[in-house]
Amino acid sequence: MITTENSAAVKRQRKDSGNGGDPDEKKHLGQWGRAWEVDWFSLASVVFLLLCAPLIVFYFVMSCDQFQCALSGPLLSVYSGKASISDIWDRTPSFSWTTVKIYTLWICFQVFLYICVPDVCHKLIPGYIGGGQNGACTPAGIINKYEINGLQAWIITHTLWFANANYLHWFSPTIIFDHWIPLLWCANILGYSVAIFAMLKAYFFPTNANDCKFTGNFFYDFMMGIEFNPRLGKWFDFKLFFNGRPGIVAWTLINLSFAAKQQELYGQVTNSMILVNVLQAVYVLDFFWNETWYLKTIDICHDHFGWYLGWGDCVWLPYLYTLQGLYLVYNPVQLSTGFAIAVLLLGLVGYYIFRMANHQKDLFRRTEGNCEIWGQKPKYIECTYLSIDGTTHHNKLLVSGFWGLARHFNYTGDLMGSLSYCLACGFGHLLPYFYIIYMSILLVHRCIRDEHRCLNKYGKHWRRYTDKVAYRFLPGVF
């Protein structure tokens, strides 16, 4: 689904109760964004994730640390009596103050780069859009300003990393792997602290009270968030910072540390490890190159900030999105040349679809439809929606290019890339394939969730759109 804010033609017209208007639009007034009411299934899912997600992360990491990444290893060991749960816990590296210092320094450095170093990359790199940018219109009608400097933060961080590895030698390149589980405890502390702070902030000093949503259910509000864009000061936006930094900046550093550990243990870096580093680095760099575009995505435009984003970006993302590199430290795989090339091509083709689909969306939005897609003027559906204050906004839903083939064709490319990361690890264990399983569930769920919100937001216009573009991921299939 693609929308573009027709800013030149937006008519911000206050609707009084006697002004009439479309009953369907009035029905959906202020109802887009996060859910207002919680059904029993949503509540059960929330409680399950709050209880089980931290255990899932620990189980995966511990399986590699103690059982060579065999997911069945801990269960079989306990079932057969070879080990008890307390034995496994006792062998797990514990919390250490050294790791706390490392993690605190990392977070503080990323905060410094985020709020204290204005972006200069957009002045030096042709085609890159950074610096001060406007976000999308929130349900309350607010347009936040952002300092886009993620690419700059990534470049500075990795320049220092390579300078240290080759010249400065302040710390070992394997430092992340060597403290991997103690860092997990630190990441959990930060994730929960941020989520709790965000909830308290929403109650006592929200940035914008009109963009807060209270369901009355503590567990749902804690997980999914209450405040839409919690901020401290002018520039520190919790959602953008934790979505992009520190987790995604760390992603490529974590993979580099895993590669360094493989070199240390075996005297070489396998082609599978190189593939994982390269393919995932492409994804990370794409994120930062298009950080301005990211301001228009579902994460920023619809999700409120709670445990789901706070803890998820601190723990879930850096620990489970990097499982392929971790697996290859314990189980080095040297792929045949032909298979390695096939995996590389799958990843690059998936990235091409993902990027070009998103590029079409961005181009359509920036030009307000005055562009060409696949050599033709784009087709679209005119629509309107209302913010909480009753203001009418005009948007366009694109039905050309990849977005005429399926409503979420960018997700199809994303899944192809995700599969390539997993295939790079061979077929020895299930663990590295968790990523494609998880991403499939996540994107299908996100697709359905996004479309539900769009139906609430656009009403009859959304139904016209789905009649025009009938499939979600693959034409004729799904």
Side-chain angles (χ1 to χ4, degrees), residues 316-393:
W316 188 270
L317 188 155
Y319 275 85
L320 294 190
Y321 286 22
T322 59
L323 279 176
Q324 290 76 34
L326 181 65
Y327 172 84
L328 291 171
V329 173
Y330 293 96
N331 302 275
V333 175
Q334 186 69 23
L335 302 173
S336 67
T337 301
F339 189 73
I341 293 174
V343 170
L344 178 63
L345 289 176
L346 175 65
L348 294 179
V349 170
Y351 169 73
Y352 174 80
I353 294 173
F354 171 79
R355 170 52 28 227
M356 290 308 298
N358 287 326
H359 170 70
Q360 289 175 359
K361 171 174 79 172
D362 185 57
L363 177 65
F364 181 70
R365 179 189 294 122
R366 285 189 290 105
T367 63
E368 298 178 357
N370 296 315
C371 60
E372 288 190 354
I373 294 178
W374 289 353
Q376 297 179 345
K377 289 287 290 183
K379 299 177 182 178
Y380 54 85
I381 293 175
E382 294 274 6
C383 63
T384 59
Y385 66 94
L386 303 178
S387 51
I388 290 174
D389 60 6
T391 302
T392 299
H393 302 267

Side-chain angles (χ1 to χ4, degrees), residues 374 399-407 409 469-476:
W374 289 353
V399 293
S400 290
F402 284 114
W403 305 98
L405 299 178
R407 301 196 290 270
F409 210 75
V469 185
Y471 293 96
R472 290 186 169 112
F473 282 15
L474 284 175

Side-chain angles (χ1 to χ4, degrees), residues 416-465:
M416 291 171 65
S418 301
L419 180 60
S420 70
Y421 310 158
C422 305
L423 290 173
C425 297
F427 303 98
H429 290 87
L430 178 62
L431 182 140
Y433 286 85
F434 169 81
Y435 188 70
I436 183 60
I437 296 171
Y438 164 73
M439 288 299 292
S440 298
I441 296 172
L442 174 71
L443 293 181
V444 170
H445 174 262
R446 175 170 290 196
C447 168
I448 296 171
R449 182 175 59 134
D450 187 20
E451 295 195 0
H452 176 72
R453 287 172 172 172
C454 287
L455 177 61
N456 284 338
K457 183 175 182 178
Y458 298 116
K460 64 181 181 181
H461 306 293
W462 180 253
R463 295 187 184 93
R464 288 170 53 211
Y465 173 71

Side-chain angles (χ1 to χ4, degrees), residues 113-393:
L113 293 179
Y114 178 61
I115 64 175
C116 298
V117 187
D119 184 71
V120 297
C121 287
H122 70 283
K123 300 178 181 179
L124 303 176
I125 304 176
Y128 172 67
I129 301 174
Q133 300 291 330
N134 290 333
C137 182
T138 73
I142 304 299
I143 296 179
N144 290 307
K145 294 185 179 297
Y146 297 87
E147 176 66 24
I148 299 301
N149 58 5
L151 180 63
Q152 178 175 270
W154 188 91
I155 291 172
I156 292 173
T157 302
H158 286 71
T159 298
L160 290 175
W161 175 273
F162 282 107
N164 170 78
N166 292 286
Y167 304 107
L168 302 175
H169 305 296
W170 290 337
F171 53 85
S172 169
T174 66
I175 187 172
I176 299 176
F177 176 87
D178 294 337
H179 294 84
W180 194 229
I181 294 183
L183 284 171
L184 174 60
W185 310 137
C186 297
N188 271 283
I189 291 172
L190 177 62
Y192 276 94
S193 299
V194 166
I196 292 170
F197 177 79
M199 190 169 196
L200 294 175
K201 182 179 182 304
Y203 275 98
F204 297 108
F205 53 102
T207 303
N208 190 300
N210 290 331
D211 269 327
C212 291
K213 287 190 177 181
F214 298 88
T215 65
N217 186 289
F218 171 82
F219 297 106
Y220 190 88
D221 286 348
F222 176 70
M223 178 174 175
M224 299 308 297
I226 297 170
E227 195 171 357
F228 194 71
N229 289 111
R231 289 185 160 213
L232 292 178
K234 181 179 180 181
W235 291 114
F236 190 83
D237 184 276
F238 279 73
K239 195 190 295 186
L240 183 63
F241 178 78
F242 283 99
N243 268 335
R245 277 74 58 78
I248 297 185
V249 173
W251 189 343
T252 38
L253 290 184
I254 293 166
N255 282 339
L256 288 171
S257 185
F258 291 161
K261 193 65 180 183
Q262 198 182 66
Q263 174 69 39
E264 178 186 285
L265 292 174
Y266 310 110
Q268 66 170 340
V269 178
T270 61
N271 60 2
S272 56
M273 179 69 84
I274 294 172
L275 269 177
V276 168
N277 270 261
V278 168
L279 290 172
Q280 294 188 349
V282 168
Y283 184 90
V284 170
L285 280 171
D286 176 87
F287 173 86
F288 286 119
W289 182 268
N290 296 284
E291 191 174 14
T292 298
W293 159 82
Y294 185 66
L295 297 179
K296 311 295 184 180
T297 63
I298 186 173
D299 291 345
I300 299 296
C301 296
H302 290 283
D303 288 339
H304 289 235
F305 187 85
W307 182 88
Y308 175 76
L309 291 180
W311 179 87
D313 290 323
C314 290
V315 180
W316 188 270
L317 188 155
Y319 275 85
L320 294 190
Y321 286 22
T322 59
L323 279 176
Q324 290 76 34
L326 181 65
Y327 172 84
L328 291 171
V329 173
Y330 293 96
N331 302 275
V333 175
Q334 186 69 23
L335 302 173
S336 67
T337 301
F339 189 73
I341 293 174
V343 170
L344 178 63
L345 289 176
L346 175 65
L348 294 179
V349 170
Y351 169 73
Y352 174 80
I353 294 173
F354 171 79
R355 170 52 28 227
M356 290 308 298
N358 287 326
H359 170 70
Q360 289 175 359
K361 171 174 79 172
D362 185 57
L363 177 65
F364 181 70
R365 179 189 294 122
R366 285 189 290 105
T367 63
E368 298 178 357
N370 296 315
C371 60
E372 288 190 354
I373 294 178
W374 289 353
Q376 297 179 345
K377 289 287 290 183
K379 299 177 182 178
Y380 54 85
I381 293 175
E382 294 274 6
C383 63
T384 59
Y385 66 94
L386 303 178
S387 51
I388 290 174
D389 60 6
T391 302
T392 299
H393 302 267

